[in-house]
Amino acid sequence: MHVVVCIKQVPDSAQIRVHPVTNTIMRQGVPTIINPYDLFALEEALRLRDVHGGEVTAVTMGPPMAEDSLRKALTYGADRAVLLTDRYFAGSDTLATSFALSQAIAKIGETFGAPDIVFTGKQTIDGDTAQVGPGIAKRLDLLQLTYVSKICSLDLDAREIKVDRRSEGGTQMLQSRLPCLITMLEGTNEIRRGSLDDALRAARSQIVKWSAADAGIEDLSKCGLRGSPTVVKRVFAPTARVEKAEQITTTDKALSDVADELIVEIFSRQPALEHELAFDASA
Amino acid sequence: MTLTANQETPPPAVGRAGMKKELPEQFKDYRHVWVFIEVERENIHPVSFELLGEGRKLADKLGVKLAGVVLGPPGDATQQAIAEAFAYGADVAYLVEHPLLADYRNEPFTKALTNLVATYKPEILLLGATTLGRDLAGSVATTLLTGLTADCTELDVDADGSLAATRPTFGGSLLCTIYTLNCRPQMATVRPRVMAMPQRMNKPIGCVIQHGVPMLEEEIVTKVLGFLSDVQSTNSNLAYADVVVGGGLGLGTSENLKLVKNLARVIGAEYGCSRPLVQKGWMPADRQIGQTGKTIRPKLYIAAGISGAIQHRVGVGGADLIVAINTDPNAPIFDFAHLGVVTDAIRFLPALTDVFTHRLSPHSRDKLAN
């Protein structure tokens, strides 16, 4: 089988700092990582390959430096990596991104064999939209299975897949067909440490680099800013609260006295709450 | 089987220079504000009402009608959803009633909503940023080749009538305002609990527009084999809790989470955590509070051992009163909390739990004794 995994190189948002005076993002020196949600997708793809045979292709759209993330995917055990990079993609919103990636995936299909499953993470940690996966599915006319928590069974001969899917009130058990697009929920598997063999292979591997033209994209007006119906008009810092938290002092006091003081302060600010809490606690 | 990418003609392209709006002719008669009323397994998601409240304001500014959109199987739940849409401010309801819309599946829902939009042409379409809403919105927007802005925290209409959708970016440290140019409808999703819940009115049912969409089960590939409901309280009701206690890495070990749970039990609160705890596997993902977890809007939020990264701030900014307990006086949480105690949460939480227990009802003391 052939599984394609879409990954994205993102800034490690845990390490992004906002400049205290200018309120701008300090991006210098912020390390990049593979979007953490995509790792669950990659791991699931590798597991399916390990059981059913075949190949895993990792693909990303991004600047040339996104090659680092693809090489990392190879060290985890992906068989092949494709970097879609072109200045025409700059400024893509989710609609333009899903267009470019769907074209690249179609080209991957022509070149290396049609994928049975396309995986993505449930969302990225920088954009947080969860829109690109469904967008790719629609563009490629793939069946769409989002927020998948478990792949219960896969029958390659019958082209049938059964999955558990997270919904608001519980878990849906779905049966669908291949080819399909799956967005993987976090915490669904444990991400492997790549083997030494994989690390050596990754170091030697060539990353396939495609421009828009290489991926067979003829209409560049569907890419980048020009292909994006949404436009960011304004970026601004949230209004910061002026005062810091009022501190309850703790020096020379028993913790129970501090707690008492805190509770008095809470109820003086939220008078209605005391009765509600008492009611809840007695319920 | 080969995959072929869909290369349909998109709307006229715009660059940065294309900020001036010249709406193509085919979109000029798009009017009114629509809110998708989310019904899953006979439950109306409260985010639908929050969106109706927000949609009402947009519709009034634009001088157009507010509509609720209900997709569902024939039956009481669907009728109830329509009645509730009116009670929360809709002027009109669009209804696609079909047995195939009983359980949520992407294919029939995308078909029904896309068909409704193409027929009745709304200018603005809002959905909840729930698992269902995001799954559906992404498919519908791509099918219609229109813009979709995710997880908005603020919606407004600007001077020329465009939807200005504001959302957090860069992990919540900045906000950006996004416009959908040259395409209709303008679509946005909004997270549960970000918009305030409007007042429910007692209103008779208004105008319901029934719309038939031909669908056959044979055409729908995906089948629902079963549904496992989140039975007991292990699955949280965080987003709608009035009081929440959150735990962070400052708790040191997963065993210390019981300190958070004990306090939550005594004051009748829900409990949650910051992202690192989910990554460590100490708590399930549905209890994560923050940008990639749940947005909460409680009357009281107690953050224990949470440093307050920007992602966490995004998720708790709507709380009425934030109390932070942390050993580090410079932790960012003190920049947005209202009350702070610089101390070790591991030692302080038991004390706080005790004092609350005595302060609250005798019943809670009895309960704890057992």
Side-chain angles (χ1 to χ4, degrees), chain A residues 1-2 31-32 38 48 56 64 87 98 102 112 124 130 138 146 197 265 277:
Chain A
M1 70 181 306
H2 186 196
T32 55
D38 297 345
L48 290 181
V56 171
R87 63 191 173 83
S98 70
S102 65
F112 305 110
T124 60
K138 189 46 74 185
T146 54
D197 279 353
E265 193 60 42
L277 293 195

Side-chain angles (χ1 to χ4, degrees), chain A residues 246-276:
Chain A
E246 188 181 315
Q247 295 288 345
I248 309 283
T249 54
T250 52
T251 36
D252 307 325
K253 270 190 262 181
L255 284 177
S256 59
D257 291 339
V258 178
D260 206 39
E261 209 179 309
L262 176 63
I263 290 169
V264 168
E265 193 60 42
I266 288 171
F267 289 148
S268 80
R269 291 176 185 224
Q270 293 276 312
L273 207 53
E274 181 160 13
H275 302 289
E276 288 171 32

Side-chain angles (χ1 to χ4, degrees), chain B residues 189-212:
Chain B
T189 62
V190 177
R191 243 178 204 238
R193 299 303 271 156
V194 166
M195 306 299 180
M197 179 68 78
Q199 276 289 318
R200 189 181 185 284
M201 299 163 286
N202 276 321
K203 228 173 96 178
I205 278 210
C207 169
V208 180
I209 297 167
Q210 287 241 32
H211 184 68

Side-chain angles (χ1 to χ4, degrees), chain A residues 13 114 123 127 139 144 146 166 168-169 171-173 175 229 231 233-234 236 241 244-246 248 276, chain B residues 1 6 104 131 134-135 139 167 175 177 179 181 222-223 225-226 228 230 299 311 334-335 337-338 340:
Chain A
S13 65
Q123 64 195 55
R139 299 267 193 187
Q144 166 180 327
T146 54
R166 184 79 216 150
E168 290 299 304
T171 303
Q172 256 189 339
M173 280 147 259
Q175 174 189 302
V231 173
K233 201 166 182 183
R234 194 163 79 98
F236 57 104
R241 266 230 325 279
K244 285 194 116 195
E246 188 181 315
I248 309 283
E276 288 171 32
Chain B
M1 188 186 295
N6 178 356
Y104 177 74
T131 53
R134 285 175 151 193
D135 184 278
S139 298
R167 72 180 302 256
L175 298 169
T177 302
Y179 285 72
L181 300 174
T222 303
K223 311 290 176 204
L225 302 178
L228 189 66
D230 298 326
K299 293 174 183 162
Q311 293 86 352
F334 292 120
D335 294 338
H338 303 88

